[in-house]
């Protein structure tokens, strides 16, 4: 047994992926409602309008969490349920607040610790239309701060807050590739608007400042009374050099992580963007004002880590194109000598590699001065899972093995390497709306029968986590 006795484990979800009830009780549209309505943007032409119907089944979800033995549950708030138009001078929707107040009350009554994410990609569409959403340096941080303050005030029982989930995805997939809402890209066959070379860096900068404003408000106005902690959740993959004998490939491994994680973490921990990004991007990276730097630097009580996979990294020698966001390198699943990073899954980008998880935990711990880390997402899809009969889907041994190997790699990082990891949230409690992949990809430990009223059936993996963590967490 190697994890600390107060270690929290459980499951994670996101509002747009599970809630449904998209027009109920005064909820306004988000950029994802708008994006899903554009033909061709979602693989199966679907949306999150119904999803897992969790808004109407909150009690059922809590009962499931309790049945599975979870000590924590990470979920996100739908901004447009709280403030349908989004802005600091727009009306607040009491029905939306009441829903989350009851949900938090019921979770805590069930002995489950809530981890609340304020922003999991679903910006109110009203703000995107009003002033360009994440691209507006003046308005967006102020509106986010107001929204955050509204939620902090409504939910004093919550002691673990996450401002942004994976701002990399909002910035790059939303404003470079156009793969995610709002779909901006320089590729005019995909979008009439967008500048892939500049917009993602602007969006990223504005999210950092918005994060800093929300953290300042929490620390000054709520933490003295309520206690608690607040941080940001960042995503990133582990890296191995394609050719370990090539110092350029070795250097490219760090650069890949810097362009994904340190883009946001370095300003928070060090007050500046990584040198590798400054060197490649130049003046396309916004410059922090003194006021912005003061807001951002030091604005993490913990580091939220989302992690799934690893890559071999091969450096490039040509001048990078303006829309490059990786750091002038290639990501591969096979090394120079033919080693494979891990088995295929349903997700083109995901191959299990638990050693990479341990390595990245160490990388983060060393770079950022051994911060407290919560693993806020970790999980896998299974190749062809959605095409199997339900009985076979429920026997998800591949996912059981993934969780087992990753949890043990994390425990080794804690016990043997001194990484201060305090919690783990499996992605995801439920099969759900998997963004641009629609309902074709399943990440849940619980099968959701979309065709028959969203009925839930726990898979083998759902019941595997309690005995796994019982075996890893110290008893005294």
């Amino acid at each position: 047994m190697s994890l600390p006795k107060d270690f929290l484990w459980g499951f994670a979800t996101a509002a747009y992926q599970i809630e449904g009830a998209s027009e109920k009780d005064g909820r306004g549209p988000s950029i994802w409602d708008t994006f899903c309505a554009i033909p061709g943007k979602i693989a199966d032409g679907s949306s999150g309008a119904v999803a897992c119907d969790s808004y109407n089944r909150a009690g059922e979800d809590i009962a499931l969490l309790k049945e599975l033995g979870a000590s924590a549950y990470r979920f996100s708030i739908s901004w447009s349920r709280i403030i349908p138009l989004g802005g600091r001078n727009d009306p607040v929707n009491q029905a939306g607040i009441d829903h989350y107040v009851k949900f938090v009350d019921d979770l805590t009554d069930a002995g489950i610790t809530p981890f609340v994410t304020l922003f999991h990609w679903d910006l109110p569409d009203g703000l995107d239309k009003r002033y360009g959403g994440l691209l507006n340096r003046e308005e967006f941080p102020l509106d986010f701060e107001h929204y955050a303050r509204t939620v902090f005030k409504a939910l004093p029982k919550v002691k673990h807050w996450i401002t942004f989930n994976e701002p990399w995805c909002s910035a790059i997939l939303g404003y470079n590739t156009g793969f995610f809402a709002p779909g901006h890209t320089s590729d005019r066959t995909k979008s009439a608007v967008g500048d892939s070379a500049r917009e993602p860096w602007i969006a990223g900068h504005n999210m950092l400042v918005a994060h800093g404003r929300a953290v300042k408000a929490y620390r000054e106005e709520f933490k003295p009374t309520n206690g608690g902690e607040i941080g940001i959740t960042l995503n990133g993959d582990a890296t191995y050099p394609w050719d370990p004998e090539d110092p350029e490939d070795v250097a490219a491994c760090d650069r890949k992580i810097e362009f994904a994680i340190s883009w946001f973490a370095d300003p928070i921990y060090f007050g500046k963007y990584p040198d590798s990004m400054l060197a490649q991007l130049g003046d396309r990276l916004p410059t922090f004002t003194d006021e912005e730097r003061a807001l951002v630097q030091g604005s993490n009580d913990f580091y939220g880590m989302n992690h799934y996979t690893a890559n071999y990294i091969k450096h490039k020698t040509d001048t990078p194109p303006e829309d490059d966001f990786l750091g002038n390198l290639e990501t591969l699943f096979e090394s120079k000598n033919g080693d494979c990073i891990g088995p295929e899954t349903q997700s083109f980008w995901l191959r299990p590699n638990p050693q990479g998880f341990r390595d990245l935990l160490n990388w983060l711990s060393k770079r950022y001065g051994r911060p407290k880390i919560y693993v806020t997402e970790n999980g896998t899809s299974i190749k062809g899972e959605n095409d199997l009969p339900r009985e076979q889907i429920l026997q998800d041994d591949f996912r059981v093995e993934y969780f087992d190997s990753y949890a043990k790699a994390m425990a080794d990082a804690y016990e043997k390497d001194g990484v201060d990891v305090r919690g783990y949230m499996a992605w995801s409690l439920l099969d759900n709306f998997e963004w641009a992949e629609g309902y074709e990809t399943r990440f849940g430990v619980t099968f959701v029968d979309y065709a028959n009223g969203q009925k839930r059936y726990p898979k083998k993996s759902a019941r595997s986590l309690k005995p796994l963590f019982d075996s890893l967490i110290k008893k005294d």
Side-chain angles (χ1 to χ4, degrees):
M1 293 186 183
S2 52
L3 293 171
K5 64 181 179 183
D6 59 351
F7 190 89
L8 293 167
W9 73 270
F11 302 94
T13 59
Y16 191 73
Q17 293 182 270
I18 68 163
E19 281 187 352
S22 60
E23 296 179 2
K24 189 172 180 179
D25 292 341
R27 178 187 177 276
S30 78
I31 55 173
W32 274 94
D33 295 286
T34 303
F35 188 68
C36 290
I38 303 170
K41 296 300 184 186
I42 311 300
D44 55 7
S46 65
S47 75
V50 178
C52 308
D53 194 34
S54 283
Y55 184 82
N56 296 312
R57 294 168 177 261
E60 199 176 322
D61 288 352
I62 292 171
L64 175 62
L65 287 161
K66 198 166 183 181
E67 179 190 340
L68 300 180
S71 58
Y73 181 49
R74 177 184 172 224
F75 64 96
S76 78
I77 305 269
S78 166
W79 184 344
S80 59
R81 279 199 201 283
I82 305 297
I83 307 171
L85 296 173
R88 57 195 182 278
N89 298 311
D90 294 322
V92 173
N93 178 34
Q94 190 60 43
I97 289 176
D98 291 346
H99 168 79
Y100 292 112
V101 168
K102 183 178 187 325
F103 189 68
V104 167
D105 285 348
D106 292 348
L107 265 181
T108 52
D109 287 349
I112 298 163
T113 299
F115 276 68
V116 175
T117 306
L118 291 168
F119 186 90
H120 198 124
W121 308 347
D122 49 349
L123 181 78
D125 193 55
L127 299 186
D128 191 55
K129 288 186 164 58
R130 186 180 300 167
Y131 57 64
L134 303 183
L135 296 177
N136 192 301
R137 191 164 177 168
E138 288 72 40
E139 299 296 328
F140 175 73
L142 292 171
D143 281 344
F144 182 76
E145 177 190 353
H146 169 72
Y147 157 62
R149 187 181 277 108
T150 304
V151 178
F152 296 150
K153 185 178 177 183
L155 302 175
K157 291 183 181 179
V158 174
K159 307 301 179 194
H160 308 277
W161 293 98
I162 295 160
T163 53
F164 287 86
N165 175 77
E166 301 185 347
W168 184 94
C169 292
S170 291
I172 296 300
L173 304 181
Y175 293 92
N176 177 291
T177 66
F179 193 53
F180 279 8
H184 288 210
T185 176
S186 292
D187 183 345
R188 291 291 167 258
T189 66
K190 294 180 181 174
S191 174
V193 294
D195 179 351
S196 299
R198 294 186 180 274
E199 285 188 355
W201 317 116
I202 295 167
H205 187 87
N206 296 341
M207 282 185 280
L208 274 168
V209 175
H211 158 82
R213 295 195 76 93
V215 170
K216 184 173 189 283
Y218 182 72
R219 286 175 173 171
E220 291 180 355
E221 299 168 38
F222 300 95
K223 192 170 183 172
T225 307
N226 300 341
E229 58 184 356
I230 187 164
I232 196 168
T233 278
L234 306 177
N235 60 296
D237 307 331
T239 57
Y240 299 97
W242 180 75
D243 178 2
E245 303 299 313
D246 187 339
E248 295 284 353
D249 284 356
V250 173
C253 284
D254 277 351
R255 195 163 68 248
K256 167 70 165 64
I257 301 173
E258 287 167 356
F259 267 71
I261 293 173
S262 304
W263 173 12
F264 300 98
D266 274 21
I268 287 171
Y269 288 97
F270 309 137
K272 66 183 288 295
Y273 287 120
D275 290 342
S276 59
M277 295 185 74
L278 291 163
Q280 180 174 319
L281 300 171
D283 65 1
R284 284 182 286 141
L285 263 184
T287 302
F288 286 99
T289 65
D290 290 343
E291 182 193 12
E292 287 174 337
R293 184 176 290 103
L295 284 166
V296 172
Q297 190 169 3
S299 59
N300 249 13
D301 295 335
F302 63 84
Y303 180 99
M305 178 186 187
N306 285 5
H307 175 74
Y308 292 86
T309 191
N311 285 112
Y312 290 109
I313 305 299
K314 187 178 184 184
H315 76 282
K316 289 182 175 178
T317 54
D318 297 341
T319 302
E322 272 213 324
D323 62 354
D324 174 63
F325 56 83
L326 291 174
N328 206 27
L329 52 87
E330 286 181 82
T331 60
L332 303 163
F333 290 126
E334 285 196 357
S335 69
K336 183 180 181 181
N337 61 8
D339 293 332
C340 182
I341 208 92
E344 282 187 67
T345 67
Q346 183 64 23
S347 308
F348 68 89
W349 51 270
L350 200 169
R351 302 279 187 102
N353 185 291
Q355 180 60 43
F357 184 30
R358 181 177 175 182
D359 292 348
L360 186 57
L361 279 161
N362 273 280
W363 193 98
L364 294 168
S365 186
K366 286 170 185 161
R367 187 174 181 105
Y368 299 117
R370 201 171 172 268
K372 179 197 297 187
I373 295 173
Y374 292 109
V375 178
T376 44
E377 284 181 30
N378 178 240
T380 189
S381 58
I382 300 175
K383 193 167 179 62
E385 184 178 26
N386 196 42
D387 302 323
L388 299 172
R390 187 176 80 210
E391 294 70 27
Q392 283 180 254
I393 289 177
L394 297 182
Q395 298 300 313
D396 59 340
D397 291 302
F398 185 90
R399 189 174 283 111
V400 171
E401 170 56 29
Y402 181 98
F403 287 138
D404 186 79
S405 60
Y406 271 70
K408 286 172 179 171
M410 175 182 64
D412 282 344
Y414 175 82
E415 185 179 40
K416 298 175 182 175
D417 308 333
V419 176
D420 187 16
V421 61
R422 304 286 190 91
Y424 176 96
M425 266 57 92
W427 185 270
S428 177
L429 177 65
L430 305 164
D431 290 335
N432 55 49
F433 176 72
E434 189 48 39
W435 307 109
E437 294 172 52
Y439 296 96
E440 295 180 357
T441 302
R442 293 176 180 267
F443 269 87
V445 301
T446 304
F447 174 80
V448 177
D449 191 346
Y450 305 120
N452 294 291
Q454 277 69 29
K455 189 165 171 54
R456 282 97 157 110
Y457 299 86
K459 304 176 189 177
K460 188 174 181 179
S461 61
R463 305 192 190 283
S464 73
L465 284 164
K466 186 177 190 305
L468 173 60
F469 281 101
D470 281 349
S471 75
L472 294 173
I473 296 171
K474 291 173 180 149
K475 295 295 183 285
D476 49 38

